[in-house]
Amino acid sequence: MKQLLLMCLCFSMATINTACHKIKANPEEEPIDLTPKLPQATHTGANTFGCYINGALFVAQSNNYNKVIPIYCSYNKISENELRIQGSRLNDSVRDNVSFIAFIDKGAGAYEMDIIGDVHIGYINFVNGYHEYYQLENNPGKLTVTFMDTVNRIISGNFQMQLYNEDYPIKIVSITDGRFDLKY
């Protein structure tokens, strides 16, 4: 009986030792980079939205316990091909959003953003109060639609804009390297 128990113990140890060698990490693999980045420039309707705001990374996202929809996109052919996009970010330390409007009349191509009415708010920051920044009337921003699929309702592109508000210490907000890949 002792011999059987000893054999089972030796067999178990050999199996565990072999299994451990199989799970060993591959030293040739590259380490996973967890640094936040802009979303990839894709044309699949991945529902991504990101840009830099005064050089700081902005990626639309929402934490799991709030009800904020991080990305909103609508394209209305009936209303003069109006495209409205908003990316929101809400987590424990940040609450802000970027938005713009453009009239897309020829599918993929370069467009100027539009201001409806007197002003259009392009950026809102809710940290330490409520701060709105407006598009400039003579330069509301640039939008390039890089892909538009009206059958699958996918739109992708790049954007940039300069925003202002005379009432805040930081008077100009620069939004650069914006990109999106959305379903509408």
Side-chain angles (χ1 to χ4, degrees):
M1 182 74 170
K2 286 184 181 181
Q3 285 181 333
L4 182 62
L5 186 59
L6 186 59
M7 281 180 61
C8 286
L9 183 62
C10 287
F11 179 74
S12 297
M13 291 300 284
T15 306
I16 290 170
N17 191 30
T18 304
C20 288
H21 289 293
K22 288 181 182 175
I23 345 179
K24 225 176 186 181
N26 184 355
E28 295 174 11
E29 286 182 8
E30 291 290 321
I32 298 171
D33 184 8
L34 299 176
T35 308
K37 297 181 183 99
L38 276 176
Q40 291 289 322
T42 58
H43 299 110
T44 60
N47 284 327
T48 57
F49 181 99
C51 61
Y52 288 99
I53 300 173
N54 288 344
L57 179 65
F58 173 100
V59 176
Q61 63 184 356
S62 178
N63 59 25
N64 292 335
Y65 56 85
N66 64 51
K67 304 224 187 285
V68 170
I69 297 171
I71 299 170
Y72 169 80
C73 177
S74 72
Y75 176 65
N76 188 342
K77 277 190 89 136
I78 297 169
S79 180
E80 299 178 26
N81 300 319
E82 180 187 82
L83 173 69
R84 288 180 180 257
I85 295 178
Q86 177 175 307
S88 299
R89 177 173 59 171
L90 178 60
N91 58 41
D92 294 332
S93 60
V94 178
R95 182 173 171 214
D96 55 358
N97 67 52
V98 174
S99 64
F100 57 85
I101 298 169
F103 292 94
I104 310 300
D105 59 359
K106 60 185 186 285
Y111 297 92
E112 191 169 280
M113 292 178 186
D114 200 35
I115 298 173
I116 296 179
D118 293 337
V119 295
H120 178 73
I121 301 168
Y123 176 65
I124 300 174
N125 184 324
F126 298 92
V127 178
N128 298 323
Y130 179 85
H131 306 284
E132 297 177 339
Y133 290 88
Y134 309 99
Q135 289 173 284
L136 300 167
E137 192 173 324
N138 61 347
N139 183 14
K142 304 287 182 208
L143 166 70
T144 302
V145 175
T146 57
F147 180 79
M148 188 164 189
D149 179 344
T150 56
V151 174
N152 294 306
R153 301 173 53 94
I154 296 171
I155 189 164
S156 306
N158 306 308
F159 63 95
Q160 64 184 21
M161 57 185 156
Q162 295 284 321
L163 308 167
Y164 78 99
N165 190 318
E166 292 293 323
D167 299 332
Y168 300 130
I170 298 173
K171 302 205 181 306
I172 300 288
V173 169
S174 179
I175 297 181
T176 58
D177 299 318
R179 64 176 68 151
F180 59 90
D181 179 21
L182 305 171
K183 288 188 175 264
Y184 60 87

